[in-house]
Amino acid sequence: MAKTMDDLHKLIQEMTLEQKIGATLTLGFAGTVPRKHIYEWITKYHCGGLRLSPIFRKFGNYVNPLTGETVVDLTSVDKVKDQAPPYMNGSDYKEILDELKEVAAKRPLGLPLHFSFDQEGGTSADYNFGGVNLFPKPMGLRASNDPSLAYEVAKAVSEQSLAVGFNFLHSPVLDVNVEPKNPEIYTRAYSDDATLVTEYAIASCKGLKEAGMIATGKHFPGRGDSPVDAHYELPVIDVDKETLKQRDLLPYRALIDKDLLPSIMIAHSIFPALDKDHVATVSKKIITGLLREEMGYKGVITTDSMTMGALAKRYGIANACAMALEAGCDLVLMKAENELVEETFQTIRDFVMEGRIPEEDLNKKVERILKMKMEYGMFETRNQDNRPEEVNNRIRESGLARRAALGATLPLRGSMKLPLPKEGKTLIIEQINKNVPNDKYWHYGYLYQKCMQTGANVDLFEIDYMVSEEDTKTVMEAAGNYDYIVLTNFYVRSRTANNELVKELQKACPGKVIVINNTPYLLSAPENMENVITTLATTPENLQVVADMLYGETKPKGTWPLSLTPEGQYV
């Protein structure tokens, strides 16, 4: 196996064209049980890696939650129903990944697989089951006012994930979120201040590198100044080049200089100041001209998911994958588990045979990919020794998740006094997060359970993330029977929070409503909120902190995370 660059060059010389094309592909594996096509993609298409989505049984269509429109139809040919996948703990899932690694090791040349995933913080957590410690959104880490905490969290995330087999993290988010209405980035960014984004990203990447996790800075050259979601439509970041250079590119320059970014992900957006004709993902001016030549980046460049609406509708998915490689990307992320895989492979092959992707360039892509894998130990076939549950327990006992949650939760804003009297009759209105594993560690009604465990007199009413008219009516009819109402009003990627319900409740029950929201933006903070607790994640430890605030003596330690907006002024 490759141990030196000479070994790597010899390996590339032995590779067939098909193996080289496969090395540039990150394909999708949704769920926890691989079906036969996963094995075929490893053996027949020689894929370089899999993008793991164990919390979903299948990779579904992109449906705009605001309009109900199916933006990109990715209906799988096998017609598997979109149900919850079989539940596994970390050790169970590790067995699956170890098996897939063995399948790859038996391929001609035995090129290793990478397993990429999202674990940004909060609900962006592909590994969220089996008692893994979950941490706040990046903006929640910034709210702690402690970059060293970001380092500790990144290291802990890496240790837990590597113990299972995840090894290629699609984080950190380096976007500078200067647009309060940004429906996609919002608290996924550390801050609206480029200097702070840079400071916390450096700390995070140091933790990732020390633990041995591949970091991926995204979304280059920066998607923080956009009011639209690239999953459903094409963002146009219409700012001048100097602003991009001084603001959006600042984190990238700093991390590249410190050799902390083994991988960078390109944004599915148009930047007219850089290339008015093409989405960045397929723009040679941006990928090769700006990132490679002007900024001197030598690491692996990957695309974002090539099935997202911003790109798919404009170029076609398979064609866009080949165009991205032609423009200078090394890896394409193609998550749809259907006939698009073969179409993508053949389209890339056509581009090579036609000279649009010279084989010399393809060799350089493969070299960068395999060099990264060699540097991060992927050619070593030995599996991780630690049981995932042991790693999780060690980190849990350290209290890190609790400290991070306290730092990501802001004090109550409003006139109500805490703690609430436990004998008072309180209605907990809690949204159902269908992405939770629904195990003993994180399940539906989690905030209610934690409030109940304090001995408080609480009742539960569950609503959807976007509340129905029927549930609104039921809630309003019941509200008058309670002394206090605690309402979660969480926002997740274009799914509008229930701001109208908040307004109705406050009007009907003045002085009795506490809103638990998850952003410093009007996305989940309707104007004139009477009482609000902002917790910059909706994960178990953050909800535990909220329950302790409501009925105990816990004092949160979070600070206002925005620089461009005065403290406490939700925008």
Side-chain angles (χ1 to χ4, degrees):
M1 303 303 285
K3 295 180 180 179
T4 68
M5 287 305 297
D6 285 342
D7 294 331
L8 207 60
H9 291 145
K10 291 177 183 177
L11 193 60
I12 294 171
Q13 289 174 1
E14 295 179 41
M15 294 175 69
T16 65
L17 174 60
E18 288 71 22
Q19 288 170 325
K20 293 174 184 177
I21 292 172
T24 69
L25 296 176
T26 304
L27 302 178
F29 169 27
T32 53
V33 178
R35 299 191 294 280
K36 68 177 183 179
H37 62 265
I38 299 297
Y39 299 99
E40 182 180 64
W41 294 346
I42 295 172
T43 55
K44 179 180 178 180
Y45 294 112
H46 318 283
C47 72
L50 295 171
R51 172 58 162 82
L52 305 176
S53 302
I55 62 176
F56 304 106
R57 188 165 181 242
K58 66 179 291 184
F59 185 71
N61 298 332
Y62 283 115
V63 179
N64 190 322
L66 300 179
T67 64
E69 175 196 3
T70 297
V71 178
V72 180
D73 189 345
L74 298 169
T75 304
S76 177
V77 292
D78 58 14
K79 305 299 182 186
V80 169
K81 298 294 183 182
D82 190 12
Q83 303 295 324
Y87 178 79
M88 295 187 179
N89 63 22
S91 291
D92 296 330
Y93 192 60
K94 178 181 184 298
E95 290 181 12
I96 299 294
L97 299 187
D98 285 348
E99 181 204 357
L100 296 179
K101 283 196 291 186
E102 291 300 321
V103 172
K106 293 176 182 177
R107 298 185 294 190
L109 304 181
L111 298 177
L113 287 174
H114 62 263
F115 293 119
S116 62
F117 68 120
D118 267 352
Q119 200 82 359
E120 296 170 7
T123 51
S124 177
D126 287 319
Y127 177 26
N128 69 2
F129 44 89
V132 65
N133 296 272
L134 296 164
F135 298 98
K137 292 277 192 182
M139 195 170 284
L141 297 176
R142 155 69 192 109
S144 73
N145 204 28
D146 182 5
S148 68
L149 183 66
Y151 161 82
E152 288 185 75
V153 165
K155 190 174 179 182
V157 166
S158 300
E159 291 171 350
Q160 293 181 131
S161 304
L162 288 166
V164 176
F166 302 94
N167 52 27
F168 194 157
L169 180 63
H170 286 164
S171 286
V173 176
L174 301 183
D175 300 320
V176 184
N177 198 66
V178 296
E179 171 52 73
K181 295 180 181 178
N182 195 322
E184 183 180 4
I185 304 304
Y186 61 110
T187 58
R188 296 170 65 201
Y190 291 101
S191 178
D192 56 0
D193 183 317
T195 302
L196 288 170
V197 170
T198 302
E199 181 181 14
Y200 281 80
I202 287 173
S204 294
C205 284
K206 284 181 177 178
L208 297 174
K209 186 173 184 177
E210 185 172 321
M213 176 64 73
I214 295 173
T216 306
K218 63 184 183 185
H219 308 80
F220 184 88
R223 203 159 71 209
D225 194 0
S226 169
V228 301
D229 188 334
H231 289 82
Y232 312 114
E233 53 186 305
L234 180 63
V236 177
I237 316 296
D238 197 8
V239 297
D240 61 85
K241 188 172 182 178
E242 188 61 24
T243 298
L244 288 168
K245 181 178 179 180
Q246 297 300 326
R247 183 187 68 193
D248 302 273
L249 295 181
L250 179 65
Y252 291 95
R253 291 201 308 272
L255 288 162
I256 291 170
D257 288 346
K258 293 180 180 295
D259 191 27
L260 289 172
L261 275 187
S263 177
I264 289 176
M265 179 180 286
I266 306 298
H268 290 333
S269 303
I270 286 184
F271 299 83
L274 304 175
D275 186 341
K276 68 180 189 305
D277 299 317
H278 296 293
V279 176
T281 311
V282 298
S283 169
K284 192 166 187 175
K285 291 180 181 178
I286 292 174
I287 299 170
T288 300
L290 175 60
L291 183 53
R292 284 277 185 232
E293 296 173 356
E294 188 175 329
M295 297 179 67
Y297 182 61
K298 294 181 171 56
V300 171
I301 301 175
T302 182
T303 72
D304 205 338
S305 173
M306 298 301 283
T307 54
M308 288 165 61
L311 198 73
K313 292 195 296 184
R314 190 178 180 96
Y315 300 105
I317 293 171
N319 186 55
C321 289
M323 289 176 66
L325 294 175
E326 180 184 28
C329 287
D330 302 309
L331 280 170
V332 291
L333 175 56
M334 217 298 291
K335 293 163 66 176
E337 298 185 39
N338 58 19
E339 67 279 359
L340 279 168
V341 171
E342 181 177 1
E343 185 181 342
T344 296
F345 189 94
Q346 294 302 332
T347 303
I348 294 171
R349 193 179 192 284
D350 290 344
F351 270 50
V352 175
M353 299 307 294
E354 294 166 8
R356 293 182 63 174
I357 302 175
E359 191 159 2
E360 181 182 353
D361 287 352
L362 183 61
N363 289 343
K364 290 178 181 178
K365 297 177 193 300
V366 174
E367 179 180 327
R368 282 190 287 266
I369 294 165
L370 296 184
K371 179 174 180 284
M372 179 183 70
K373 292 185 177 185
M374 183 177 70
E375 290 175 345
Y376 279 83
M378 291 189 202
F379 280 92
E380 300 172 11
T381 55
R382 182 176 60 84
N383 293 322
Q384 290 283 332
D385 294 328
N386 292 328
R387 290 186 69 251
E389 291 71 35
E390 293 173 355
V391 179
N392 296 346
N393 289 337
R394 172 174 56 80
I395 292 171
R396 182 176 299 107
E397 290 169 3
S398 76
L400 178 60
R402 175 73 174 186
R403 285 194 287 125
L406 286 167
T409 305
L410 278 58
L412 174 74
R413 178 174 174 235
S415 59
M416 192 173 288
K417 302 298 182 184
L418 294 181
L420 298 177
K422 292 181 181 178
E423 65 275 10
K425 192 177 181 183
T426 301
L427 177 62
I428 307 288
I429 304 172
E430 194 166 351
Q431 291 158 295
I432 296 176
N433 178 1
K434 294 182 179 178
N435 291 341
V436 308
N438 207 28
D439 59 13
K440 71 176 184 178
Y441 302 102
W442 192 15
H443 51 77
Y444 307 145
Y446 193 87
L447 176 61
Y448 161 74
Q449 182 200 25
K450 295 305 172 183
C451 290
M452 184 179 64
Q453 287 173 350
T454 69
N457 180 16
V458 292
D459 289 331
L460 171 67
F461 190 89
E462 291 183 331
I463 61 175
D464 291 330
Y465 255 73
M466 299 169 68
V467 67
S468 67
E469 290 184 13
E470 181 180 354
D471 280 350
T472 297
K473 181 180 178 182
T474 303
V475 165
M476 294 306 300
E477 289 174 351
N481 298 321
Y482 289 87
D483 300 310
Y484 305 99
I485 298 166
V486 175
L487 168 72
T488 67
N489 196 44
F490 298 144
Y491 174 90
V492 177
R493 296 195 190 187
S494 298
R495 290 170 176 81
T496 55
N498 296 308
N499 292 347
E500 293 306 313
L501 177 58
V502 171
K503 294 176 184 178
E504 287 188 48
L505 281 169
Q506 288 187 158
K507 184 178 179 180
C509 307
K512 294 166 53 175
V513 180
I514 297 179
V515 178
I516 315 299
N517 80 339
N518 64 333
T519 83
Y521 302 116
L522 294 178
L523 295 168
S524 67
E527 296 179 75
N528 304 317
M529 284 185 300
E530 293 179 347
N531 302 284
V532 58
I533 295 172
T534 297
T535 186
L536 293 161
T538 60
T539 41
E541 203 64 60
N542 282 71
L543 295 177
Q544 178 72 70
V545 166
V546 170
D548 291 345
M549 286 177 65
L550 291 170
Y551 290 105
E553 298 299 329
T554 295
K555 302 294 183 185
K557 298 181 179 180
T559 59
W560 188 248
L562 303 178
S563 295
L564 303 182
T565 304
E567 183 172 348
Q569 183 178 320
Y570 290 80
V571 292

